[in-house]
Amino acid sequence: MSKIGIKDIASQSGVSSATVSRTLRSPELVSEDTRKRVLEAIKATGYKPNRFGASLRTQKSGNVVVVMPDITNQVNAGIIRAIESEAHKAGYCVLLGDTQNQEEREQHYADMVTSGQADGILIFTPNLPFSLKTDKPISEQLPPLVNSCEEIANDDIYKVVIDNKAGARTAVQHLLDLGHTCIAAVMGPKDTPSTLDRLAGYKQALTEANIEINRNLIIRGDYRTESGIEAMEKLLRLRHRPTAVFCFSDDMAIGAMNTLREYDYRIPQDISVIGFDDISYSKLMYPKLTTIRQPLEDIGRNCMRVLLEQLRGNKPAQKITELPFELVVRQSTGPVPR
Amino acid sequence: MSKIGIKDIASQSGVSSATVSRTLRSPELVSEDTRKRVLEAIKATGYKPNRFGASLRTQKSGNVVVVMPDITNQVNAGIIRAIESEAHKAGYCVLLGDTQNQEEREQHYADMVTSGQADGILIFTPNLPFSLKTDKPISEQLPPLVNSCEEIANDDIYKVVIDNKAGARTAVQHLLDLGHTCIAAVMGPKDTPSTLDRLAGYKQALTEANIEINRNLIIRGDYRTESGIEAMEKLLRLRHRPTAVFCFSDDMAIGAMNTLREYDYRIPQDISVIGFDDISYSKLMYPKLTTIRQPLEDIGRNCMRVLLEQLRGNKPAQKITELPFELVVRQSTGPVPR
DNA sequence: CTGAAAGCGCTTACAG
DNA sequence: CTGAAAGCGCTTACAG
């Protein structure tokens, strides 16, 4: 590998390293003549300024870190892609932090901001990996930061959200409208804000319809397919089987549908299934999955924009950017049997 | 945000900055007493060494870049996850380069190595984004680098591969074994090495079975679901419809199955479908997709290991690491009709 | 428009 | 075991 430095370019084009730097950073300060000469030398050698030298001097890294529990997940993948695209446009690079649900790794990635390796951070987990002192305003203690998907319990943080409770309520209402009264819920991971909100929405919709909440119909999951499979198996064993199942994620709904097919249930004639997310595979399932759509690309794009705003030294207009969800009715839900 | 530097720690614990640095990098060189004092100050302040200072000095960034065409893709997502995990274990951070098939972006990410921002690069596209001079051995001109998934046409590069041709041949052989003779192929993007190899395997299997290659049965796709849908629509219009379809990716196979269901074909009774990749959703389809499994996690892990080897200054034992594929027979393939 | 010089925050031979 | 000092490669006020 080459190790051409700014000095090489300087001597090759007969100017000082200051002028080389200016040619790159503020070309308008350099005479056309010199500029040309310098640019030529740069091109000939393939010189790329060493980012560390520059960063050390400017105290800016040009990076942002993304902290996510699992990028394999289609929801997260969709979001990160929009982030990357938006970051790239603004000249930032994305450092990928897949935490695999380990706190230690979360901390590790947060430290990249503390150590100056990234200028800002996007957090998709419910924990704030920075220690706060109570005697100072929080905004002064935190780096540029945006939180999404799993809300951190702190009102001073910039967030991009959807209304999970209303989304869940809409899902259940859709089922109620179809005549279902025995509606199961397959939850996400214990105590995650998104699951808590969706559960609240589920309960609210039932309560409003004067239907009693039945604990047996509420199953714990973890948003992944496998847990949807298991949850459905449990539900099928119940004496009073549900006629409809609201899964808090599409992945779990997909798992649930697999179980139903396995035991020869017809969807939706025997049992309706509705998901949450609208990942790209949902419309490709058999039957096509009815779900609550999260605007993944928009979430990613907005996260990055709010972060960029902070990175530029501005205060974003609002702490919370709320994006709309949407009920997408497809084929996996239908009228209650009989 | 805090800006605690090594000097702050030094003065707080009454030692020189050299000793602070040593406490962190080579604690065995520091007396237990001093070490304790320094560590305490570090803990109390939450000091994190500035990476740029260190990197500038050591000429190591501790980062690796991953250049991929689309991380939303389940194949890539699976691979990158293993990479990230392996990198993290070795103390490296992953810079994510989603090129979205733009050459400019590919170059951009490659420049991160040239500019010292990353110590090594993992390339999953068929282009080498480094200019080579013919008068020097290639190995001296390239940074630590590993290529996978889409082979770069250069024998001096470290690669992690599967035998795409043999994989495709196995897929078609499976179909032949079931009695099919009219077998369509849905290819990936034009001129990509993986598609060329799989096409060669498809042709070889047919030729070996004394079946003539029929151009009408070979459809161009791009590995994505949408193109599988379109390809299947084309095939269904043919006077002599195929009884089996080999899609060069699972995503396309999933699209093809959707089209078949749309027009009331039964899979596999009317038409068999086989994919390539074995992404996690394939086993969740209806019917469950028969496919050629790529060991995604293994690919990712091996890529990183071969890169790590180079990063440590060693020469990896072999230029090419070949991993096994596997035919996974599920429900989407069956005997030829009649 | 250009150059000399300082300094960003670290690490590490060198000397003691 | 520890410190003083040099230097990694840049950028940018300052002076001219």
Side-chain angles (χ1 to χ4, degrees):
Chain A
M1 283 301 293
S2 49
K3 320 163 181 214
I4 313 141
I6 197 169
K7 284 186 203 160
D8 300 304
I9 304 300
S11 65
Q12 264 187 55
S13 42
V15 297
S16 72
S17 61
T19 300
V20 176
S21 176
R22 276 192 283 257
T23 305
L24 257 17
R25 303 295 150 210
S26 347
E28 70 281 4
L29 297 181
V30 181
S31 78
E32 202 185 316
D33 224 46
T34 334
R35 205 190 314 153
K36 256 188 203 155
R37 215 150 15 100
V38 174
L39 253 18
E40 228 157 71
I42 288 174
K43 206 169 179 185
T45 53
Y47 164 71
K48 298 285 167 200
N50 178 307
R51 184 73 160 269
F52 297 122
S55 288
L56 189 54
R57 179 61 224 240
T58 61
Q59 301 292 324
K60 297 269 161 252
S61 69
N63 299 329
V64 298
V65 217
V66 176
V67 179
M68 270 188 178
D70 176 11
I71 62 147
T72 274
N73 181 306
Q74 283 283 292
V75 174
N76 291 337
I79 292 174
I80 205 173
R81 186 160 197 202
I83 290 172
E84 212 273 353
S85 170
E86 208 67 20
H88 183 79
K89 269 189 239 165
Y92 280 89
C93 282
V94 174
L95 285 153
L96 181 63
D98 191 326
T99 67
Q100 304 190 17
N101 290 310
Q102 292 166 246
E103 223 177 289
E104 173 257 322
R105 310 194 69 192
E106 214 165 297
Q107 190 58 56
H108 174 83
Y109 289 110
D111 287 348
M112 300 184 77
V113 195
T114 318
S115 72
Q117 210 182 158
D119 303 330
I121 186 166
L122 258 21
I123 302 184
F124 294 84
T125 63
N127 315 309
L128 186 64
F130 299 96
S131 52
L132 260 21
K133 285 165 194 151
T134 43
D135 58 339
K136 280 187 186 176
I138 281 168
S139 52
E140 280 174 28
Q141 300 183 62
L142 288 179
L145 184 159
V146 180
N147 165 231
S148 186
C149 289
E150 293 295 352
E151 269 195 63
I152 295 173
N154 186 319
D155 289 339
D156 287 315
I157 288 178
Y158 291 99
K159 294 175 186 173
V160 174
V161 304
I162 64 156
D163 188 336
N164 278 302
K165 185 175 173 188
R169 209 168 138 257
T170 303
V172 176
Q173 190 59 53
H174 167 65
L175 264 11
L176 290 167
D177 291 345
L178 289 166
H180 295 274
T181 54
C182 190
I183 301 173
V186 182
M187 300 192 290
K190 195 166 178 330
D191 298 335
T192 52
S194 62
T195 274
L196 260 22
D197 287 346
R198 290 174 200 178
L199 183 63
Y202 164 82
K203 288 183 175 172
Q204 190 190 355
L206 292 186
T207 306
E208 283 171 0
N210 283 314
I211 296 172
E212 215 174 319
I213 310 291
N214 177 346
R215 300 210 148 274
N216 285 331
L217 291 177
I218 302 178
I219 311 277
R220 174 129 283 147
D222 66 5
Y223 285 149
R224 296 189 301 188
T225 332
E226 194 55 41
S227 76
I229 292 175
E230 286 162 19
M232 199 70 225
E233 282 170 352
K234 275 186 207 160
L235 288 170
L236 292 180
R237 284 185 224 123
L238 252 32
R239 181 152 98 96
H240 296 295
R241 281 198 286 258
T243 60
V245 180
F246 168 35
C247 294
F248 289 12
S249 79
D250 279 3
D251 273 340
M252 294 194 299
I254 288 168
M257 290 206 294
N258 258 264
T259 300
L260 288 173
R261 279 195 300 266
E262 182 129 335
Y263 297 109
D264 287 333
Y265 290 86
R266 294 163 306 160
I267 312 167
Q269 293 85 345
D270 298 320
I271 295 188
S272 285
V273 177
I274 185 168
F276 202 111
D277 291 339
D278 197 24
I279 61 174
S280 58
Y281 289 97
S282 296
K283 59 176 172 301
L284 299 164
M285 289 293 142
Y286 181 75
K288 299 183 201 298
L289 183 66
T290 295
T291 191
I292 300 293
R293 159 169 253 270
Q294 294 207 60
L296 301 181
E297 214 189 301
D298 248 33
I299 290 175
R301 190 167 32 224
N302 275 282
C303 281
M304 195 60 213
R305 286 191 182 160
V306 176
L307 189 66
L308 242 22
E309 199 58 22
Q310 296 175 64
L311 253 13
R312 293 188 184 113
N314 307 326
K315 283 220 179 307
Q318 14 172 358
K319 287 286 177 193
I320 295 185
T321 306
E322 186 176 319
L323 266 18
F325 61 84
E326 184 190 349
L327 170 67
V328 182
V329 178
R330 289 197 277 243
Q331 304 164 345
S332 66
T333 49
V336 65
R338 212 155 325 150
Chain B
M1 283 302 289
S2 49
K3 320 162 179 216
I4 314 142
I6 196 169
K7 284 185 203 160
D8 300 305
I9 305 301
S11 64
Q12 265 187 54
S13 42
V15 297
S16 72
S17 61
T19 300
V20 177
S21 177
R22 275 191 285 257
T23 306
L24 257 18
R25 303 295 148 209
S26 345
E28 71 280 6
L29 297 180
V30 181
S31 78
E32 202 185 317
D33 224 46
T34 338
R35 206 191 314 154
K36 255 190 202 153
R37 217 150 12 102
V38 173
L39 252 20
E40 228 157 72
I42 288 175
K43 205 169 181 186
T45 53
Y47 164 71
K48 298 285 165 199
N50 178 307
R51 185 73 161 269
F52 297 122
S55 287
L56 188 54
R57 178 60 224 242
T58 60
Q59 302 293 323
K60 297 269 162 252
S61 69
N63 298 329
V64 300
V65 217
V66 176
V67 178
M68 271 189 177
D70 176 10
I71 61 146
T72 274
N73 181 305
Q74 283 285 292
V75 175
N76 291 336
I79 292 174
I80 205 174
R81 185 159 198 203
I83 289 172
E84 211 273 352
S85 169
E86 208 67 18
H88 182 80
K89 269 188 239 163
Y92 280 90
C93 281
V94 174
L95 285 152
L96 180 64
D98 190 327
T99 67
Q100 305 191 15
N101 290 307
Q102 292 165 246
E103 224 176 288
E104 171 258 322
R105 310 194 70 192
E106 213 166 296
Q107 190 57 56
H108 174 84
Y109 288 110
D111 288 348
M112 300 184 77
V113 195
T114 318
S115 71
Q117 212 182 158
D119 302 330
I121 185 167
L122 258 21
I123 302 185
F124 294 84
T125 64
N127 315 308
L128 187 64
F130 299 96
S131 53
L132 260 21
K133 283 164 196 152
T134 44
D135 59 338
K136 281 188 186 174
I138 281 169
S139 52
E140 281 175 27
Q141 300 182 61
L142 289 179
L145 185 158
V146 179
N147 166 230
S148 186
C149 290
E150 292 295 353
E151 268 196 65
I152 294 173
N154 186 319
D155 289 339
D156 287 316
I157 289 178
Y158 291 99
K159 295 175 187 173
V160 173
V161 304
I162 64 156
D163 188 336
N164 279 301
K165 185 176 174 187
R169 208 167 138 259
T170 303
V172 176
Q173 190 59 53
H174 168 65
L175 264 10
L176 290 166
D177 291 345
L178 289 166
H180 296 275
T181 53
C182 189
I183 300 173
V186 181
M187 299 191 292
K190 196 167 177 329
D191 297 336
T192 52
S194 62
T195 275
L196 261 22
D197 288 346
R198 290 173 199 178
L199 183 64
Y202 164 82
K203 288 182 175 171
Q204 190 191 353
L206 291 185
T207 305
E208 283 170 2
N210 282 316
I211 296 174
E212 214 174 318
I213 310 291
N214 177 348
R215 299 211 148 272
N216 285 331
L217 291 177
I218 302 178
I219 310 277
R220 172 131 282 146
D222 65 4
Y223 284 149
R224 295 188 302 188
T225 331
E226 194 55 40
S227 75
I229 292 176
E230 287 162 18
M232 200 68 225
E233 281 171 352
K234 276 185 205 159
L235 288 170
L236 291 181
R237 285 185 223 121
L238 253 32
R239 183 153 96 96
H240 296 295
R241 282 199 285 258
T243 60
V245 181
F246 168 35
C247 295
F248 289 12
S249 78
D250 279 3
D251 272 340
M252 294 195 299
I254 288 168
M257 290 206 293
N258 258 263
T259 301
L260 288 174
R261 278 196 300 265
E262 181 129 337
Y263 297 108
D264 287 333
Y265 289 86
R266 294 163 306 161
I267 311 166
Q269 293 84 344
D270 299 319
I271 296 187
S272 284
V273 176
I274 185 168
F276 201 111
D277 290 339
D278 198 24
I279 60 175
S280 58
Y281 290 97
S282 296
K283 60 176 170 303
L284 299 165
M285 289 293 141
Y286 180 75
K288 299 183 202 296
L289 183 67
T290 295
T291 191
I292 301 292
R293 158 168 255 269
Q294 294 206 60
L296 301 180
E297 214 189 302
D298 248 32
I299 291 175
R301 192 169 30 227
N302 275 282
C303 281
M304 195 61 213
R305 285 191 181 158
V306 177
L307 189 66
L308 243 21
E309 201 55 22
Q310 296 175 64
L311 253 14
R312 293 187 183 113
N314 307 328
K315 283 219 179 307
Q318 16 174 357
K319 288 285 179 192
I320 295 186
T321 307
E322 186 176 320
L323 266 18
F325 61 84
E326 183 192 347
L327 169 67
V328 183
V329 178
R330 289 198 275 243
Q331 304 163 344
S332 66
T333 49
V336 65
R338 212 158 324 155

